[in-house]
Amino acid sequence: MIADTEAVMRAAMALQLRAIAEAEQRGIPAAQGARKTQTWVREKLNIAAGEAKSRVLVARMATESTTVDGDPVPAELPAVAEAINTGAITVAHARTIINGVRRMAPVCTPDELGQAEAVLTDYARVHSPHDLATLAERVRYYFDEDNAFRTEEVQHVLRELHYGTDADGMTVINARLSREAGAKFRAALQPLAAPLPSEDGQPDFRSPGQRNADALDALLDIALASDQLPRSGGQRPHITITINYDDLIRTLGDTEKRGMPGTLTSTGQPITAATVRRLACDAEILPVVLGGDGLPLNVGRTERTAPPHLRAALLLRDGTCAFPACDRPPGTPEAHHVESWIDGGATDLNNLVMLCGHHHRTIHTQHWTIAIEDDHPVFTAPTTVDSERSPRPGGRPTGTEHNALLHQLIPQPRQPEEPQTRV
């Protein structure tokens, strides 16, 4: 039923396109006071200006006509005209082909244009206008390589990225990237933006926009954790937060207590003590003694971020994320103190666990508990997630563990029998 009605609509559209072409040829729009045919069509049919422009363009380029003497005149794009008349393609397909052929016309011979039209029309029969536009662009790049290169150079000049702070404190980003930079952006972001089903099989309820924002957050963590960014004052790039120590520990064990917020020094924006506690799990802590005027009097040394050899051991034990059933892609690990360093927890293997950014936030916001048992992390959910609070083993099986399992399947070689000595 749906396909049948679509076929009827396409047949009617082909008839309307022929009528538009005939009306323009006879000068009817101008006789009725219209400055342009597309304006006349828009007012007559009460359709959007863009749709009217597309129908007029397709009527001109892909409709057969006749001379004043009644002699037939073939369409400028005969393959497109035939496909429209048979209902094989839509106006959107035809407009895409016309745009592609027009952009190729200055550098192609008539035969090449005919070949391109035929290829694009045949492709349009089974593909969407969006996919068709991609092919048309590729065909143009083949025939007009010099101009295509100039287009890329112009895009490089037009590149831009702006960011600012909205009234609610959120950062707003607006960018136009070149093809190359855009491809890098997608290649880096898309693996991190993949949906993450929960451990009980529930789908990821984040919107695509939220997943992209989380992916960018993770991508920034990867960049800041690397040693490839330019240094400032001898230090790797980092974010700096100042907060009163008493405010930082005030909410420990009592979520009803309120503490003064910290400050993101790069933007001057406030940030809650709860968020600072989460960020402090795998950040460099630099104690700063402030005077009564808020100016630093003394700056201490970095004290408890997990050193490289310890992070390597954690990755070997936990994988990228030790949270049960996490399938986060590699590259986003954060070392979480089981007992917070702020509260006296040690920075050693028995008090650290690797978590991805998503589950690190989950641990803090939902108040999961973690214990290290037999050198492996064990997670216990809050009652809001699991009423029975059943412990769940975390981490990922390592190659050593896999080998141990395999050894159970491999038959043990028989020991040679000792020769018996006869007396």
Side-chain angles (χ1 to χ4, degrees):
M1 181 67 178
I2 295 176
D4 291 340
T5 55
E6 176 66 18
V8 172
M9 292 169 61
R10 292 189 182 188
M13 180 57 68
L15 183 62
Q16 185 187 87
L17 293 174
R18 290 195 293 271
I20 292 173
E22 183 179 352
E24 184 174 52
Q25 185 179 14
R26 294 170 57 186
I28 294 177
Q32 294 184 1
R35 188 170 61 90
K36 294 187 295 185
T37 303
Q38 68 188 57
T39 304
W40 177 75
V41 170
R42 177 177 60 82
E43 293 179 350
K44 194 173 189 65
L45 302 180
N46 191 24
I47 58 177
E51 177 64 18
K53 183 177 181 179
S54 294
R55 294 187 191 185
V56 172
L57 180 62
V58 174
R60 289 173 181 166
M61 302 282 292
T63 302
E64 297 177 352
S65 60
T66 57
T67 65
V68 292
D69 299 327
D71 297 327
V73 178
E76 188 170 342
L77 298 178
V80 176
E82 188 273 334
I84 284 284
N85 288 333
T86 58
I89 65 174
T90 66
V91 171
H93 287 102
R95 174 70 186 269
T96 301
I97 297 172
I98 292 170
N99 290 341
V101 170
R102 278 183 161 183
R103 297 184 69 181
M104 289 183 279
V107 295
C108 291
T109 65
D111 288 342
E112 290 172 338
L113 287 177
Q115 293 173 1
E117 179 205 356
V119 168
L120 293 174
T121 302
D122 189 53
Y123 191 81
R125 295 174 184 270
V126 291
H127 293 87
S128 69
H130 179 270
D131 293 340
L132 178 64
T134 302
L135 175 61
E137 181 88 348
R138 183 169 294 276
V139 172
R140 182 180 71 86
Y141 260 55
Y142 173 76
F143 283 113
D144 192 10
E145 183 177 358
D146 291 340
N147 191 52
F149 178 75
R150 285 192 295 270
T151 298
E152 293 175 349
E153 292 294 291
V154 170
Q155 290 178 352
H156 178 73
V157 174
L158 295 177
R159 72 195 185 282
E160 57 181 341
L161 187 150
H162 305 279
Y163 58 91
T165 304
D166 210 350
D168 61 358
M170 297 188 73
T171 296
V172 179
I173 302 173
N174 183 33
R176 297 181 73 237
L177 305 178
S178 66
R179 291 170 186 249
E180 179 183 353
K184 293 177 183 177
F185 178 78
R186 287 179 172 83
L189 201 72
Q190 287 175 349
L192 299 174
L196 291 175
S198 63
E199 64 274 6
D200 60 358
Q202 292 295 319
D204 191 336
F205 292 105
R206 295 176 299 166
S207 69
Q210 290 172 329
R211 288 191 283 107
N212 286 337
D214 291 346
L216 180 59
D217 187 16
L219 190 61
L220 293 173
D221 286 341
I222 296 172
L224 291 174
S226 74
D227 199 26
Q228 303 299 314
L229 296 177
R231 292 174 178 257
S232 176
Q235 290 184 321
R236 283 168 49 180
H238 60 279
I239 62 173
T240 304
I241 302 172
T242 58
I243 188 170
N244 183 283
Y245 180 76
D246 291 335
D247 292 320
L248 185 60
I249 65 174
R250 184 167 290 139
T251 57
L252 177 64
D254 189 350
T255 57
E256 297 299 323
K257 290 183 178 180
R258 294 185 179 180
M260 295 296 291
T263 302
L264 287 161
T265 57
S266 61
T267 63
Q269 295 173 290
I271 187 168
T272 64
T275 298
V276 176
R277 289 179 64 86
R278 175 176 59 83
L279 294 174
C281 275
D282 193 30
E284 294 184 342
I285 302 297
L286 191 65
V288 180
V289 179
L290 302 180
D293 55 2
L295 297 177
L297 299 178
N298 182 44
V299 179
R301 63 181 178 84
T302 298
E303 294 189 75
R304 55 111 236 48
T305 187
H309 71 277
L310 191 52
R311 293 178 69 89
L314 286 168
L315 286 170
L316 182 63
R317 186 193 70 185
D318 300 341
T320 302
C321 180
F323 195 89
C326 177
D327 60 353
R328 191 71 173 175
T332 60
E334 300 174 3
H336 168 77
H337 282 73
V338 176
E339 181 184 1
S340 173
W341 180 87
I342 296 171
D343 306 318
T347 303
D348 58 36
L349 196 60
N350 291 325
N351 192 48
L352 291 171
V353 62
M354 274 301 189
L355 296 172
C356 68
H358 172 76
H359 285 123
H360 196 181
R361 182 180 295 272
T362 299
I363 293 294
H364 280 273
T365 57
Q366 295 184 357
H367 305 293
W368 286 62
T369 59
I370 307 174
I372 306 297
E373 299 179 2
D374 297 327
D375 298 325
H376 283 80
V378 176
F379 293 74
T380 303
T383 55
T384 54
V385 177
D386 181 3
S387 59
E388 297 182 358
R389 302 204 70 199
S390 302
R392 309 181 189 185
R396 296 178 180 175
T398 63
T400 302
E401 292 171 334
H402 287 162
N403 288 342
L405 294 174
L406 286 173
H407 279 300
Q408 297 178 17
L409 303 177
I410 300 174
Q412 296 296 321
R414 296 180 60 184
Q415 298 295 329
E417 296 182 359
E418 294 184 1
Q420 296 181 354
T421 304
R422 294 184 179 181
V423 178

